[in-house]
Amino acid sequence: MQKLKSNKTSVFSKFGYEIALLIFLGVWFVIMGIANSSFLTMGNIVTVITRISEVAIVAVGMTVVIIAGGFDLSVGTVMALVPAIMGICYGMGMNFALAIIIAILVAAVIGILNGVLIAKARFQPIIGTLATMTALRSIIYVITGGSPISTFPKGYDGLAHGTLLGIPIPIILMIAIAALFIWIMTSTKFGRFVYATGGNPKAANIAGINTDRITILVYVVSALLSALAGIIFSSRLISASPDAGTNTAFDVVTAVLLGGTSIAGGQGNIQGTIIGVLILNFIINGFNLIGINAYWQMIFMGCVLLAAVGYDSKRRNGGFKIGKKQKAATNA
């Protein structure tokens, strides 16, 4: 009986936060369904999930980076750069498949550069990725002349607007990426090494884990997923804008921290991040439907970020430990 009770406690401590987020999301759906009848329509729900697919895909990569103890401010810039390279190469007469390969290789190189700056040159993650973000955004404006690139082949918009078995392709990609990385982070050696690298890098090194390699790999993952998100986004617009992804890093980090990933590394999961993305965007969607000013929405997002960071800080400092009596009963 005591063992069963202990297992139940363990399950709740592991999934309790995600359950609380889902309950909050459900309550929000009820409130907004009463406030505006359009909110609960299938068309609105599918549209919101389709449009947040890019943010969710980037957020998966950001989750992996933050769990490993890093931070990536360059995600939005990669989102803008990759489709710009594709459009320019295709406009010069290059085969579109080859243009995609070249653009994805550029994204991988950016991920390697970020990883090397942080793992080998010992830059702080925020400083290293801020530097690459700034430099790459300037490069985008140089190669595009500050104007959108629209040289894409016919049918390119099918990626963002097409469906498979009635389900929008971006939603399918989002679910596939999330499921893949849930499996990677929970069931593979790489996932265990990522948690170990972010939780205690010195102990991980002593245990024989090459933490520098793990750090480089997680930044490559982040860059590649940002590239995929950028391709989907440009497919929706049939254009590569040099301004694309400007606020993506802020939106993604807010969702990741809201989803329970610790800014200090070593804690978090993909499913919490996806729930965080859904909560933030359905709240913004509800605000739009009831006519709340966009500036108030930005204030709300800032407050959510502060609350998420505050919760994480309190959790890491032992602010949510169970009481002595409950602890004694659990250990009995």
Side-chain angles (χ1 to χ4, degrees):
M1 179 67 69
Q2 291 174 347
K3 184 176 181 181
L4 179 61
K5 183 177 179 180
S6 176
N7 287 340
K8 287 183 177 179
T9 302
S10 176
V11 169
F12 181 79
S13 64
K14 185 174 182 180
F15 299 106
Y17 184 70
E18 288 81 6
I19 293 172
L21 290 177
L22 286 172
I23 292 172
F24 175 84
L25 183 60
V27 170
W28 179 254
F29 267 62
V30 172
I31 293 172
M32 286 308 306
I34 295 172
N36 191 300
S37 59
S38 299
F39 183 82
L40 288 180
T41 61
M42 185 59 67
N44 180 64
I45 293 172
V46 171
T47 297
V48 171
I49 297 177
T50 302
R51 290 190 178 277
I52 67 173
S53 59
E54 304 102 63
V55 173
I57 289 170
V58 177
V60 169
M62 184 71 81
T63 303
V64 176
V65 169
I66 293 179
I67 289 174
F71 205 82
D72 191 356
L73 289 176
S74 68
V75 290
T77 313
V78 174
M79 278 185 67
L81 180 62
V82 166
I85 292 174
M86 289 165 49
I88 291 171
C89 290
Y90 182 72
M92 295 170 59
M94 184 180 293
N95 178 274
F96 191 58
L98 181 58
I100 293 174
I101 292 172
I102 290 174
I104 290 175
L105 287 175
V106 169
V109 170
I110 293 169
I112 293 171
L113 174 61
N114 282 333
V116 169
L117 286 175
I118 292 154
K120 300 296 185 181
R122 303 303 175 189
F123 277 63
Q124 288 296 318
I126 291 180
I127 301 302
T129 57
L130 177 64
T132 54
M133 178 193 76
T134 304
L136 290 172
R137 186 65 69 175
S138 299
I139 290 172
I140 294 170
Y141 281 108
V142 169
I143 65 175
T144 64
S147 301
I149 304 296
S150 301
T151 49
F152 291 98
K154 184 179 180 181
Y156 180 60
D157 61 332
L159 177 63
H161 297 286
T163 61
L164 182 63
L165 301 176
I167 304 172
I169 291 175
I171 294 180
I172 294 174
L173 290 173
M174 177 185 71
I175 293 172
I177 293 295
L180 173 63
F181 277 90
I182 287 173
W183 174 75
I184 288 174
M185 295 300 290
T186 59
S187 304
T188 70
K189 184 183 293 186
F190 173 75
R192 293 192 295 271
F193 286 0
V194 170
Y195 278 103
T197 299
N200 192 329
K202 290 184 179 179
N205 272 319
I206 292 173
I209 298 172
N210 188 332
T211 55
D212 286 352
R213 182 184 298 170
I214 295 297
T215 298
I216 293 171
L217 285 175
V218 297
Y219 280 100
V220 172
V221 167
S222 179
L224 291 176
L225 291 181
S226 298
L228 174 60
I231 293 171
I232 297 172
F233 184 70
S234 64
S235 172
R236 176 172 291 118
L237 303 178
I238 322 178
S239 173
S241 170
D243 296 322
T246 304
N247 297 318
T248 298
F250 175 80
D251 295 341
V252 165
V253 169
T254 303
V256 171
L257 297 184
L258 177 62
T261 298
S262 174
I263 193 69
Q267 295 180 4
N269 56 59
I270 305 300
Q271 53 268 35
T273 291
I274 297 299
I275 298 171
V277 172
L278 291 172
I279 287 176
L280 286 179
N281 286 276
F282 274 110
I283 287 178
I284 295 301
N285 175 246
F287 284 168
N288 288 331
L289 289 176
I290 61 178
I292 291 181
N293 188 286
Y295 295 115
W296 284 106
Q297 296 180 25
M298 293 173 66
I299 292 172
F300 168 79
M301 291 283 282
C303 291
V304 169
L305 181 58
L306 286 173
V309 172
Y311 169 81
D312 176 55
S313 176
K314 195 169 182 64
R315 179 179 60 179
R316 285 187 289 109
N317 291 325
F320 296 100
K321 290 180 179 178
I322 58 179
K324 292 181 179 179
K325 291 182 179 180
Q326 185 179 351
K327 184 176 182 180
T330 303
N331 293 333

